[in-house]
Amino acid sequence: MEIVVGLSALLLTRIIRSHSNRGNAIKEPLVDLPQIQLSFPADKGIPNAESLAIFHSTLCTEQLVSNSELSIPSRHTLEDSLFDFDSVSPLAKTDLSRFIDRCAIDAEHPLELGVFNPNHRYRRTKSRTIMLSRKLLTEAIFPIDPSLAISSPELTIMQLAPKLDIIDLALVIMEFCGRYSLRPQRDGSLYKERSFVNCDYPATTCARIAAFIKAANMRRYRHKLETALKYCADNSASPMETALALTLTLPEELGEYGLPRPILNPKISIPDDVRLYVGRNNFHPDLYYPQWLCDLEYESSGFHFDPLQAGIATDQMDRWRKREISHQAADRRRSRDIQALGIKVIPVLSNDFLSAQRMDQVVWALERQAQKFTSSTISLVKTADTRELRDMRTQLLERLSLASPRHSAF
């Protein structure tokens, strides 16, 4: 049996999560996770803003704690489960052809395989081994077929910690904890394109990763992992939602705003007596601050309004235009309904990430909404009022939004 680990496991996990055929023999190592479900207080109509903000904040806190408890892995190790360590023996020549269409394999990005016996370690041009502990939790190894296994998302993140900085580590964590997967590139440049596919479920959660790190008794890179986790949130629906969330939560010393973490894509139920007017039973705000009744909505203007970027054929242009007009109208109605329920909607455009000044304006609007629910009028964020901070923030925004060419370190 071969166990794919490290960078190769990240690539293979993306292949698995991107697979369109759910009935395929390659199964996704999914964790069935509950949603954050909020509602308006029953039988009281629409409450005032302060009481609704308190109500939603309380519900979010209770459900996040509950979800964290559900996400804790077992304490059983591979040794406890009588794992067949002798079957993991890549000393024989590994057939790399089976991985060519799954992972980027070359001298720069060799296939990484896990071993439990130090005598089985080797380094070749297109493959190398990484030592694994027999004390790993049983959830650390996920079998794909009788001759192939893959490290779990939690273990993969731990193995990537030495190679990535805090920002890149946070990007991978939020992808694994989100409902999307980047399309892996054959040359190993994982962020070469912004294309991604939607996934039915997250592969893991931030709480599960934190519990796994604690149970694994990791010491060397524990602080780095826990620091990255502080800025991450579950349930992102796209790379740009991830970029926006990290832009808000990363600390000021890295050039960002250091705001509290938002709740991503919670399900908010609408009262029965209001559904007649809004025409929907519930809605899912993109990035929701329940304590401030504020919803930041990412609008992909580059895709929605540019037919060339959307890849539309000339003979399909009219049909595409009608569909986009319909989508835009639906988005505007949705924003109107959300605001009618007392929740402030702040749109964020894709090109806002290209300017520190424009992102300052977005966060200023969020700050104005937040000040309605606090007694203080002190600014929550540091605006890019110096050239040094402005340049650092612009570079980081480009990096998070995948707008600039990325390195191929992972």
Side-chain angles (χ1 to χ4, degrees):
M1 172 189 283
E2 287 130 347
I3 302 177
V4 180
V5 297
L7 171 62
S8 299
L10 172 58
L11 285 164
L12 187 53
T13 299
R14 283 176 171 159
I15 292 290
I16 295 171
R17 299 192 76 201
S18 301
H19 211 285
S20 59
N21 182 8
R22 294 298 179 183
N24 192 275
I26 301 177
K27 297 181 181 179
E28 186 175 349
L30 298 174
V31 181
D32 192 6
L33 305 171
Q35 292 182 328
I36 299 293
Q37 297 195 25
L38 308 178
S39 62
F40 288 86
D43 303 324
K44 295 182 180 179
I46 304 299
N48 62 51
E50 288 74 17
S51 62
L52 182 57
I54 294 172
F55 182 76
H56 276 194
S57 297
T58 303
L59 280 179
C60 276
T61 302
E62 292 174 348
Q63 292 192 37
L64 285 171
V65 171
S66 175
N67 291 358
S68 298
E69 294 172 350
L70 291 172
S71 297
I72 295 176
S74 71
R75 299 285 177 169
H76 300 297
T77 66
L78 293 175
E79 281 187 331
D80 297 334
S81 63
L82 302 178
F83 183 84
D84 187 4
F85 296 103
D86 293 333
S87 66
V88 183
S89 180
L91 265 181
K93 289 186 178 180
T94 299
D95 180 13
L96 297 181
S97 62
R98 69 191 298 212
F99 298 101
I100 293 299
D101 292 331
R102 298 180 178 183
C103 302
I105 300 175
D106 53 34
E108 187 178 355
H109 303 92
L111 177 68
E112 296 179 334
L113 300 172
V115 295
F116 294 96
N117 188 335
N119 295 326
H120 292 170
R121 296 199 68 175
Y122 68 82
R123 180 183 290 271
R124 296 177 183 148
T125 302
K126 293 186 178 181
S127 64
R128 68 186 185 93
T129 56
I130 295 176
M131 276 297 298
L132 300 177
S133 170
R134 293 171 180 250
K135 300 293 184 181
L136 284 174
L137 300 180
T138 54
E139 294 92 344
I141 305 297
F142 182 83
I144 294 177
D145 60 45
S147 62
L148 180 64
I150 184 173
S151 59
S152 68
E154 299 84 15
L155 179 58
T156 300
I157 289 168
M158 289 174 59
Q159 292 169 337
L160 290 174
K163 305 176 182 179
L164 308 183
D165 63 14
I166 294 293
I167 296 172
D168 284 337
L169 201 55
L171 286 168
V172 174
I173 289 172
M174 286 198 63
E175 179 186 347
F176 276 169
C177 295
R179 297 176 182 271
Y180 69 92
S181 177
L182 296 180
R183 294 186 187 275
Q185 303 300 317
R186 287 287 300 278
D187 65 353
S189 303
L190 304 186
Y191 282 88
K192 184 178 179 181
E193 297 180 3
R194 284 186 270 182
S195 60
F196 67 97
V197 294
N198 296 317
C199 302
D200 294 334
Y201 301 98
T204 185
T205 65
C206 294
R208 190 176 179 87
I209 295 170
F212 193 95
I213 294 169
K214 184 177 180 181
N217 198 25
M218 186 179 188
R219 294 192 180 98
R220 190 172 181 185
Y221 295 99
R222 182 169 180 170
H223 177 71
K224 185 178 184 180
L225 284 163
E226 290 177 342
T227 300
L229 278 168
K230 282 195 308 185
Y231 311 124
C232 296
D234 294 326
N235 212 33
S236 174
S238 71
M240 295 306 289
E241 284 187 13
T242 291
L244 180 55
L246 290 176
T247 296
L248 298 173
T249 59
L250 285 171
E252 291 182 356
E253 54 263 31
L254 291 179
E256 296 298 11
Y257 297 97
L259 293 173
R261 284 184 295 184
I263 308 297
L264 274 61
N265 300 291
K267 178 181 178 181
I268 300 184
S269 299
I270 296 175
D272 293 338
D273 58 344
V274 180
R275 291 177 186 173
L276 174 65
Y277 303 102
V278 299
R280 67 182 75 234
N281 296 331
N282 51 68
F283 62 90
H284 298 263
D286 287 351
L287 283 79
Y288 185 52
Y289 281 99
Q291 69 272 38
W292 302 329
L293 291 184
C294 192
D295 167 25
L296 281 82
E297 289 286 327
Y298 175 71
E299 297 183 0
S300 180
S301 57
F303 175 80
H304 285 298
F305 302 115
D306 189 340
L308 295 178
Q309 287 191 27
I312 305 301
T314 305
D315 59 346
Q316 297 292 320
M317 196 70 70
D318 288 340
R319 183 178 178 183
W320 175 85
R321 208 173 271 119
K322 290 178 181 178
R323 186 174 66 249
E324 287 303 304
I325 291 173
S326 176
H327 287 169
Q328 293 172 37
D331 287 344
R332 291 190 179 98
R333 291 191 201 96
R334 179 175 175 272
S335 295
R336 179 187 64 199
D337 294 341
I338 294 174
Q339 297 199 84
L341 293 168
I343 297 172
K344 175 73 172 180
V345 176
I346 299 176
V348 183
L349 304 180
S350 59
N351 58 12
D352 287 334
F353 286 94
L354 303 180
S355 164
Q357 183 179 5
R358 284 199 291 266
M359 275 308 302
D360 282 350
Q361 292 167 352
V362 170
V363 178
W364 179 79
L366 174 61
E367 179 182 280
R368 294 284 291 178
Q369 176 70 5
Q371 288 175 349
K372 297 178 182 178
F373 299 89
T374 60
S375 56
S376 174
T377 57
I378 298 175
S379 178
L380 298 175
V381 298
K382 184 177 182 180
T383 57
D385 52 1
T386 65
R387 181 169 184 174
E388 180 182 4
L389 178 58
R390 186 164 55 250
D391 290 345
M392 181 171 65
R393 184 166 290 174
T394 299
Q395 292 173 9
L396 186 53
L397 288 170
E398 290 177 352
R399 182 180 176 186
L400 287 173
S401 64
L402 318 182
S404 60
R406 298 294 305 275
H407 59 73
S408 58
F410 67 105

